[in-house]
Amino acid sequence: MNKLRTVTWGGGGLVILAAIWATLHYGGPGRFLPTAAIGLVAATLPFGIAYSKSAVTSLRRRFADVDEGISAETGSIFVSRSTVDDPVDCLESIVDAVRSDANADDVERESFQEGPGLMVMYTGFHNSFVRITEAGRVVVTGTSEHTHDLADTVAEAYSLSFDRTRNNPFSGMEPIRGAPRVFLGVFVIVLLLVGLGTVGAAAYPSDAYNPAERTVITGIDARGDLDPGTSRAETRLSKAAFLVAIVDEEAQEVTWVQNDSERVTEHGRQALRVSRDAEALLAAARDDSLTPAQAERATRVERRLVDARMAVAAAMTERVENDSVNETADMRRVVERLRATDERSTAS
């Protein structure tokens, strides 16, 4: 199995499985239909492109002028208009007819991928071939001008009539090669990453999280479901700890010089939203039967959450005090809510 097929089938299947898991875990099957669709596209894209290319080429050859640009020595493909019921009897009749033809040197029975056939040899390096399709049509091919004579011989031997064509019935799909194959591989990998990213986007649509953070949170959920050694309480504590890290990062982003008052206020709002999610996870974890180690971890996470919120409020206040941003009513309210939440947590 080639590498591109492995990536497309394996990666596409993984994305589809991720969509199924997310539907079972988060509910709302409609939310994850785009994920499944992306996985399906990624899995079938190379085949679809190769099939489309083959179909277009086949149609172009079928309706092209069979004589234009073709000499007597090239493009010699003849397909019978009617079908034969007994391929073996047909081939035996052709063998007898060819052996009585003075132009042919010899005829040999050959086994082709699609079944038995004949190879007719003439003086020189070029041979001609007689094969029969699964549908029962007799096909005469070759790169010699004698192929025309062979088609006439076969037609007389078995009462057939032939059409000359550019479209070889035995030409299958050609795989994608070269630079297009590399480009397609890169595109499929990007498509797979996008597909996995849509799981997090649908599961956690809040704009308080960026795509990378959503992916990590979704990964924690998946580990909790797939790892028998990870309890539900442990999963909630792990998610809460990660959310605390996000709140702490907001304090750093508030200090960025390029952030104006509006952006600073927005970072404060995001810290509030994420901290509420963390509080909800910690409360749900404490409702479970925590082990002493888990209870101690929950306490540590709560303390870190308080410190992270305080850091965000302090960073916003510092930006105002050093006159790098103008204080607005919205900013003041966000700072007050961050500190009020911290006071409640400290009191509890």
Side-chain angles (χ1 to χ4, degrees):
M1 182 178 292
N2 59 57
K3 295 180 180 179
L4 180 59
R5 187 180 305 169
T6 301
V7 171
T8 55
W9 288 4
L14 178 63
V15 172
I16 293 173
L17 288 176
I20 295 173
W21 166 81
T23 300
L24 297 175
H25 183 89
Y26 300 107
R31 290 192 293 168
F32 302 100
L33 283 178
T35 303
I38 291 174
L40 183 62
V41 169
T44 58
L45 185 61
F47 173 81
I49 292 176
Y51 181 83
S52 299
K53 179 182 176 182
S54 176
V56 170
T57 302
S58 177
L59 286 174
R60 179 176 58 82
R61 290 175 176 174
R62 184 175 301 174
F63 294 105
D65 186 346
V66 295
D67 294 317
E68 182 180 355
I70 296 182
S71 67
E73 291 77 22
T74 60
S76 299
I77 302 172
F78 297 88
V79 181
S80 65
R81 296 177 182 175
S82 57
T83 60
V84 296
D85 297 327
D86 189 343
V88 175
D89 178 67
C90 175
L91 292 174
E92 291 301 320
S93 299
I94 296 172
V95 168
D96 295 336
V98 171
R99 284 177 175 169
S100 62
D101 184 358
N103 293 323
D105 290 344
D106 195 10
V107 57
E108 293 182 357
R109 296 173 179 83
E110 290 286 336
S111 178
F112 298 97
Q113 183 177 0
E114 62 276 359
L118 302 175
M119 179 174 66
V120 182
M121 289 161 282
Y122 296 93
T123 302
F125 298 101
H126 301 296
N127 301 326
S128 297
F129 303 89
V130 179
R131 290 181 285 176
I132 300 178
T133 67
E134 292 184 0
R137 296 189 183 276
V138 180
V139 181
V140 180
T141 60
T143 57
S144 167
E145 60 183 359
H146 291 294
T147 306
H148 296 244
D149 299 330
L150 177 60
D152 293 337
T153 301
V154 173
E156 294 176 2
Y158 214 75
S159 301
L160 297 171
S161 58
F162 285 89
D163 289 325
R164 187 184 178 197
T165 178
R166 295 173 182 259
N167 189 33
N168 191 334
F170 300 109
S171 296
M173 290 187 299
E174 294 185 2
I176 303 170
R177 296 186 176 92
R181 182 184 184 86
V182 175
F183 174 79
L184 180 60
V186 173
F187 179 77
V188 168
I189 291 175
V190 172
L191 193 62
L192 293 173
L193 293 176
V194 171
L196 292 175
T198 59
V199 176
Y204 296 95
S206 172
D207 58 2
Y209 305 107
N210 61 41
E213 291 165 349
R214 294 188 185 105
T215 301
V216 173
I217 299 171
T218 306
I220 295 174
D221 289 333
R223 185 186 64 182
D225 284 349
L226 301 178
D227 183 5
T230 302
S231 65
R232 183 171 59 179
E234 194 67 29
T235 299
R236 287 170 173 166
L237 291 176
S238 296
K239 287 170 62 177
F242 180 70
L243 297 190
V244 170
I246 295 176
V247 176
D248 194 52
E249 185 180 354
E250 295 290 351
Q252 299 298 322
E253 294 180 356
V254 166
T255 63
W256 291 354
V257 177
Q258 64 268 29
N259 285 335
D260 56 12
S261 298
E262 183 178 351
R263 288 299 304 158
V264 168
T265 304
E266 181 59 28
H267 282 302
R269 291 196 187 98
Q270 291 177 355
L272 274 173
R273 288 195 291 268
V274 175
S275 64
R276 291 195 187 104
D277 291 344
E279 287 175 339
L281 286 168
L282 289 169
R286 289 195 179 279
D287 289 339
D288 295 331
S289 299
L290 297 181
T291 64
Q294 290 173 340
E296 183 180 352
R297 183 186 181 190
T299 301
R300 290 198 307 269
V301 173
E302 286 175 342
R303 290 171 181 168
R304 287 177 49 209
L305 180 59
V306 171
D307 293 341
R309 282 194 298 250
M310 286 293 291
V312 175
M316 295 176 68
T317 302
E318 184 179 354
R319 290 295 304 273
V320 174
E321 291 176 348
N322 61 22
D323 295 328
S324 59
V325 295
N326 296 321
E327 185 179 29
T328 63
D330 286 342
M331 186 186 300
R332 189 163 48 250
R333 281 194 295 269
V334 170
V335 172
E336 291 173 353
R337 291 166 67 184
L338 283 167
R339 287 174 173 165
T341 306
D342 293 335
E343 291 171 0
R344 289 198 304 271
S345 299
T346 304
S348 60

